[in-house]
Amino acid sequence: MCTALVYSDSAGRKYLGRTLELTVELPYELAYFPAGFSVSSEVSGHPSLAYQLDHAFLAITMPWRLPTPEAPLGIADLKVIEGLNDKGVTFSVLSYPSAAGRGQAVEMTRAVLAASDLGSWVLGRFACVAEVKAALDTQPVVLEALSILQGAVSPFHYVVNDASGASLVIEFHKGEMQLYDNPVGVMTNGPRFDWHLTNLDNYTFLSNVDRSAATFGGYEARQPDSGIATAGLPSSSTSVGRFVRAVYYTQFAERADTPDAAVCALAHMMNNFDRPRGVSIDSSGGGHMEVAGLKDDGAHPYATEFTCWTSLSDLGRRLFFVRDYAGMNYTRLDLGALAGVDAPKVIPLRRLSGLPADATGALKDA
C-alpha cells in the first residue's frame, strides 16, 4: 500500500521518498496552505478545535467526504496525505487497517483533534519532531469513521520527519495511540511498527558487498555478474518485505555529494517500490481499501494495486517533487517561492503531468 524512507546525502542532509498504492485512482489535490490560515477540526460530540497555521506547507490531499449539491467540497474538506512545511517537517499517511478499536476516553467538554486533521496540525504548527511529540502529550486525538472509506475507522498510521533526521511514528493500534521514535527512517504498513523493528533482527547478515566467488570441495563457483549481495532481501511486495528492502536501500545507497544528486539518487531508490498494474492481483473482491463513489473500471475480473503516485521531499531546500502513474518524470514545486502567497491554492494532481517541469508558478496562479 505505501512505502516511505528517509535518505541522507554525504553532508547529512535529509530527503524523504514515499509511494502510495491503491486499486483505484482517487481525486487527489495538490494544495498549498499559507501561514496564518485558520483551521477547525470537528469531532462529533466535542467542541471544535480551532488552530491557526504558523507554517506554510505543500501537501497532496484527499477529500474526506463525497460532495453533494447542498454541500460542495471546500478547502476545509481536503485532508493531508503527504506534505512538507517551511521548516522541513514532513508528514505521511500510510495504510494500517488495525488502527480501529476502543477509542480514547476524553471528556465531552474537551476539544479534540480528529485523526484526519493530524496532517494540517503537524505541518501547520510545528518546526520539528520534538515539538510534535511534546504537543501530543496533551492533545487528545480521536479516530473517526470515514464515510468515503465505507465507514472504516481511520485505518492509517502516520510518520513525521524533520530536517535534523528525527523521525516519529504515530500509530493507533486497536484504538490506543503509541508514539515511536523511528531509528531507521522507514515505514510501510502493518504489522505494528515495533514488530517491523524486531523483524530486522532476522537480517543481521545483510551487506552490500558481493561475495562473487566460493570454493565447494574441488569446485570453484563464480557469479557471472554483480548483485549477489541482494539475494538475502525479501522479494515480495508485502509490507514486511518492503520494510526490509527500504531499510537496506537507506543503509547502503551511495551518499550523494550535492542536493540535486541526492534527489536523483532518491528517485532511483523509489523506483524499486514502483508497482505497475497487474503484477499482483486480487480476484476475491476483498483485501483492499474500498472508496465510496469510486469503483474499478470493470474491465478486469480482479483488483490490482498500483503506484498511484510517488513523491520526493528535499527537507533542506523545501522542494517537493511528485509524479503520478501516467508519467515517469517528476514535477517540481518550490515551497520557498510560494512564501508571498497568502491564500490556499489547489490544483488536481492529475494535471501535473501536463505542466512544465517546475509547476510552482502554475500552483501560484491556481
Side-chain angles (χ1 to χ4, degrees):
M1 294 284 285
C2 316
T3 303
L5 60 88
V6 174
Y7 168 69
S8 300
D9 68 13
S10 61
R13 293 173 292 240
K14 307 302 178 185
Y15 308 82
L16 171 71
R18 71 86 44 98
T19 68
L20 183 141
E21 285 77 33
L22 282 176
T23 60
V24 293
E25 284 285 2
L26 302 183
Y28 303 108
E29 303 278 350
L30 182 68
Y32 169 77
F33 292 86
F37 185 68
S38 295
V39 179
S40 180
S41 184
E42 309 282 346
V43 174
S44 178
H46 290 270
S48 61
L49 178 69
Y51 52 95
Q52 189 175 73
L53 305 185
D54 298 316
H55 305 288
F57 64 87
L58 278 167
I60 297 175
T61 67
M62 175 68 192
W64 71 278
R65 65 176 181 87
L66 292 172
T68 65
E70 299 77 22
L73 294 176
I75 191 69
D77 295 309
L78 299 182
K79 307 301 181 181
V80 175
I81 300 174
E82 179 68 33
L84 168 70
N85 81 3
D86 58 17
K87 295 298 182 182
V89 174
T90 69
F91 178 85
S92 307
V93 174
L94 298 94
S95 173
Y96 183 68
S98 299
R102 189 173 183 177
Q104 294 187 63
V106 182
E107 57 269 26
M108 300 303 287
T109 57
R110 188 172 182 184
V112 299
L113 178 70
S116 60
D117 291 315
L118 264 169
S120 66
W121 185 76
V122 166
L123 295 174
R125 298 198 59 205
F126 304 109
C128 63
V129 162
E131 291 181 2
V132 176
K133 286 182 66 176
L136 285 171
D137 281 342
T138 58
Q139 178 58 63
V141 181
V142 174
L143 305 181
E144 321 136 273
L146 303 175
S147 60
I148 201 166
L149 297 181
Q150 311 285 14
V153 179
S154 299
F156 308 109
H157 51 193
Y158 314 89
V159 185
V160 183
N161 298 286
D162 68 26
S164 77
S167 183
L168 174 69
V169 173
I170 305 167
E171 191 167 85
F172 293 85
H173 183 74
K174 297 183 179 179
E176 182 179 350
M177 186 172 73
Q178 299 285 339
L179 302 181
Y180 298 99
D181 291 319
N182 185 348
V184 294
V186 165
M187 197 61 197
T188 55
N189 310 109
R192 292 171 62 158
F193 176 69
D194 56 350
W195 186 98
H196 282 293
L197 291 184
T198 300
N199 185 51
L200 285 179
D201 295 344
N202 296 314
Y203 292 91
T204 56
F205 62 89
L206 286 178
S207 165
N208 65 334
V209 179
D210 285 337
R211 294 187 60 188
S212 299
T215 299
F216 302 98
Y219 177 71
E220 293 186 2
R222 185 169 295 275
Q223 281 290 310
D225 58 9
S226 66
I228 192 65
T230 62
L233 288 174
S235 60
S236 76
S237 293
T238 63
S239 173
V240 172
R242 286 182 283 112
F243 191 97
V244 175
R245 293 206 312 278
V247 169
Y248 180 90
Y249 283 111
T250 60
Q251 178 73 20
F252 294 119
E254 190 174 69
R255 305 301 174 195
D257 291 331
T258 68
D260 284 345
V263 171
C264 182
L266 179 60
H268 281 289
M269 293 166 66
M270 299 314 298
N271 284 344
N272 291 278
F273 303 95
D274 187 66
R275 193 184 306 189
R277 293 181 61 90
V279 297
S280 64
I281 65 173
D282 176 12
S283 299
S284 66
H288 52 86
M289 194 173 294
E290 296 286 349
V291 181
L294 291 171
K295 301 292 182 185
D296 295 317
D297 56 19
H300 304 95
Y302 55 79
T304 177
E305 287 194 7
F306 60 96
T307 301
C308 304
W309 49 264
T310 304
S311 67
L312 315 173
S313 295
D314 181 332
L315 278 62
R317 295 186 295 173
R318 316 316 190 234
L319 300 177
F320 190 76
F321 304 80
V322 62
R323 74 179 184 196
D324 65 7
Y325 193 80
M328 292 301 293
N329 295 322
Y330 285 92
T331 302
R332 176 182 186 268
L333 295 118
D334 185 341
L335 183 54
L338 294 165
V341 178
D342 59 4
K345 298 290 183 177
V346 180
I347 56 175
L349 188 66
R350 65 179 181 273
R351 280 190 52 202
L352 289 188
S353 58
L355 294 176
D358 190 317
T360 308
L363 180 60
K364 186 183 293 188
D365 295 336

